[in-house]
């Protein structure tokens, strides 16, 4: 069973040891860099199995104010990272199901979660579509060139 919990100092050592698959490294920012570069609007959540942190996700609460394509009261899923030893076991989809419930605790006014991924990242697209996200028809230009926008209603 996987749980989503606010990230605590005791989780940091495990989160800094996370390894991702080689094809994910281009889109992965290690935990320590993500945490050092965080804004006050970002919420860090640990993904835990048997009280051990095996991954994390970052939610941007200010997304609806900082992005031109954001909807009103929309949250952004900035990162979801799961250690490679726990991938491809259905845990990511379970996290996404729980996140839809947990998002209301982060921001009661939020009605959707948005994620943008590189247009060439088919594996991430399949993951998010399988998790109930719906892809927008338009592409945007982001940090990594053309990006897809996917949304999930809460």
């Amino acid at each position: 069973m996987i749980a989503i919990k606010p990230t605590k100092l005791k989780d940091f050592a495990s989160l800094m040891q996370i390894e991702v698959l080689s094809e994910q490294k281009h889109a992965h920012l290690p935990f320590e860099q993500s945490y050092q570069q965080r804004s006050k609007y970002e919420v860090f959540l640990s993904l835990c199995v048997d009280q051990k942190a095996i991954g994390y996700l970052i939610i941007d609460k200010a997304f609806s104010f900082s992005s031109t394509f954001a909807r009103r009261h929309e949250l952004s899923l900035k990162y979801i990272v799961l250690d490679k030893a726990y991938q491809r076991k259905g845990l990511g989809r379970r996290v996404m199901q729980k996140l839809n419930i947990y998002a209301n605790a982060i921001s009661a006014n939020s009605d959707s979660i948005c994620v943008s991924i590189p247009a060439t990242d088919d594996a991430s697209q399949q993951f998010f579509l399988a998790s109930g996200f719906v892809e927008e028809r338009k592409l945007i230009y982001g940090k990594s060139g053309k990006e897809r926008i996917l949304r999930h209603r809460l």
Side-chain angles (χ1 to χ4, degrees), residues 37-106:
Q37 297 172 10
R38 73 189 182 282
S39 81
K40 64 181 180 179
Y41 302 108
E42 292 177 349
V43 177
F44 280 70
L45 300 168
S46 295
L47 309 176
C48 301
V49 170
D50 298 327
Q51 303 299 321
K52 180 185 179 205
I54 60 159
Y56 65 96
L57 51 87
I58 304 171
I59 301 293
D60 182 358
K61 297 189 306 183
F63 178 68
S64 61
F65 301 106
S66 61
S67 181
T68 57
F69 62 90
R71 295 179 179 163
R72 189 174 182 196
H73 302 297
E74 188 167 54
L75 297 171
S76 170
L77 175 58
K78 192 168 179 180
Y79 280 110
I80 179 169
V81 180
L82 195 60
D83 189 274
K84 67 181 180 181
Y86 294 90
Q87 291 187 21
R88 294 184 166 81
K89 297 179 181 182
L91 294 175
R93 279 194 216 135
R94 284 191 220 135
V95 166
M96 298 311 294
Q97 290 168 345
K98 289 182 179 204
L99 179 60
N100 293 331
I101 297 165
Y102 204 92
N104 287 323
I106 294 170

Side-chain angles (χ1 to χ4, degrees), residues 19-29 82 84 87-88 118 120-124 126:
E19 293 185 35
V20 296
L21 299 171
S22 59
E23 62 266 19
Q24 297 168 333
K25 289 189 182 201
H26 71 281
H28 175 258
L29 192 60
L82 195 60
K84 67 181 180 181
Q87 291 187 21
R88 294 184 166 81
T120 57
D121 190 347
D122 294 330
S124 291
Q126 290 173 4

Side-chain angles (χ1 to χ4, degrees), residues 8 10 14 24 50 67-69 83 93 115-116 122 125 133 144 149:
K8 304 283 186 199
K10 67 178 182 156
S14 295
Q24 297 168 333
D50 298 327
S67 181
T68 57
F69 62 90
D83 189 274
R93 279 194 216 135
V115 64
S116 62
D122 294 330
Q125 179 198 28
F133 281 73
S144 59
I149 302 169

Side-chain angles (χ1 to χ4, degrees), residues 122-154:
D122 294 330
S124 291
Q125 179 198 28
Q126 290 173 4
F127 168 75
F128 286 110
L129 291 174
S131 299
F133 281 73
V134 176
E135 186 173 351
E136 298 285 314
R137 297 253 181 236
K138 61 184 175 184
L139 296 176
I140 60 165
Y141 286 93
K143 292 181 242 174
S144 59
K146 287 185 180 180
E147 295 183 354
R148 300 174 193 202
I149 302 169
L150 296 104
R151 290 191 162 92
H152 192 292
R153 304 240 0 117
L154 299 176

